[in-house]
Amino acid sequence: AKSYKSISMAVIRRLPKYHRYLKELIDKEVYRISSKELSAMMGFTASQIRQDLNNFGGFGQQGYGYNVEELYREIQKILGLTITYRTVIIGSGNLGQAIANYTNFQKYGFKLLALFDTNPKLIGMKIRDVPVFDIDELQGFIDEKQVDIGIICTPKEFAQDIANKLIKAGVSAIWNFAPIDLRVPEHVIIENVHLSDSLFILSYLLSNQENL
Ligand code: NAI
């Protein structure tokens, strides 16, 4: 794949939002858009938008605006969403099953091959059409199926051990939902998700409202 390493992480972190808005425009059959219009939709300044999008080619034309499709496709490429990734979920409880049931990730190339758990009541079940296996089968499964991403949805006490197993088996990246900072070697990519961070910000904003 082409490397986009020169683009700063600050810009990269804004790309999913561009991606989302551009997809909406495509669904509405809007083919071109100015930075000013995008700015009004997205809440970034027009100059921020021009700066961001300048990072990856001249899709903006004076007096024309941006070609929505081209921009969308380029952002998909940068985000690696044109690649298919093979994923497994470890921990098949509430959250693990919710993620497995969310079919939208599949559309963007994240293929869920299996879930794993220690609970005999869950092992042997299927979530949609995806099987739940015994955690003891994790290593062998990853060896055989070449898994790229491990998604950790176990209680936090087990998360580091699971991460070690995933890394030893050869996954390249971990999407971690357990509320713990995992130690991983440098070559392994880790992205933590903490819904509570977002909820606590909401709480802060709410509790600091003048008229509460
Ligand atoms: P849950 O109890 O419904 O599911 C956990 C599952 O992990 C159970 O099925 C259990 O049998 C399994 N498990 C336990 N040890 C295991 C092991 N060694 N290997 C494989 N599977 C194992 O819990 P829930 O609600 O699904 O939460 C899961 C995790 O996600 C927790 O750590 C929770 O704190 C976290 N969480 C994080 C959120 C976030 O925003 N990051 C939001 C909600 C939950």
Side-chain angles (χ1 to χ4, degrees):
K2 184 171 162 192
S3 177
Y4 293 97
K5 279 198 177 135
S6 59
I7 305 175
S8 82
M9 267 320 279
V11 176
I12 298 294
R13 296 224 175 254
R14 285 193 288 273
L15 292 189
K17 187 166 178 181
Y18 285 111
H19 184 266
R20 203 153 23 87
Y21 275 86
L22 290 166
K23 177 72 172 75
E24 264 177 45
L25 291 170
I26 289 171
D27 290 343
K28 286 189 214 147
E29 299 185 11
V30 175
Y31 299 109
R32 57 190 221 190
I33 190 149
S34 67
S35 49
K36 211 171 145 196
E37 289 167 311
L38 259 180
S39 153
M41 283 170 62
M42 295 183 59
F44 298 160
T45 66
S47 91
Q48 169 93 82
I49 287 173
R50 281 193 300 270
Q51 238 179 58
D52 281 353
L53 304 187
N54 260 344
N55 276 290
F56 37 90
F59 297 107
Q61 277 169 42
Q62 202 59 260
Y64 175 90
Y66 294 96
N67 179 318
V68 173
E69 285 249 15
E70 260 179 56
L71 199 51
Y72 179 73
R73 262 186 271 124
E74 187 64 15
I75 289 175
Q76 281 215 308
K77 260 196 264 161
I78 296 171
L79 291 176
L81 297 176
T82 53
I83 301 168
T84 301
Y85 299 104
R86 300 159 67 81
T87 77
V88 294
I89 293 175
I90 325 301
S92 313
N94 291 304
L95 185 64
Q97 291 192 29
I99 293 173
N101 275 314
Y102 186 61
T103 53
N104 231 6
F105 297 140
Q106 194 100 0
K107 282 190 210 149
Y108 290 108
F110 300 90
K111 192 170 163 44
L112 180 62
L113 302 180
L115 296 95
F116 292 86
D117 210 285
T118 45
N119 182 347
K121 288 196 181 120
L122 296 171
I123 296 165
M125 264 179 56
K126 281 191 170 178
I127 314 295
R128 292 188 293 119
D129 52 348
V130 185
V132 181
F133 293 128
D134 190 315
I135 189 69
D136 289 342
E137 295 178 43
L138 181 70
Q139 179 95 36
F141 186 92
I142 293 177
D143 274 352
E144 187 185 332
K145 306 277 182 179
Q146 311 229 334
V147 174
D148 306 297
I149 305 172
I151 305 173
I152 298 182
C153 299
T154 62
K156 68 170 187 290
E157 306 82 86
F158 308 105
Q160 184 64 57
D161 180 52
I162 300 287
N164 297 346
K165 286 195 173 111
L166 286 166
I167 294 162
K168 194 166 156 233
V171 305
S172 316
I174 292 175
W175 198 23
N176 173 43
F177 285 83
I180 179 179
D181 289 323
L182 298 174
R183 293 174 309 278
V184 304
E186 242 173 68
H187 68 275
V188 175
I189 290 158
I190 182 150
E191 189 58 32
N192 298 296
V193 183
H194 300 304
L195 296 184
S196 52
D197 290 3
S198 164
L199 186 61
F200 294 172
I201 298 301
L202 180 141
S203 166
Y204 164 80
L205 293 170
L206 191 59
S207 62
N208 286 281
Q209 250 180 2
E210 301 290 350
N211 54 359
L212 198 71

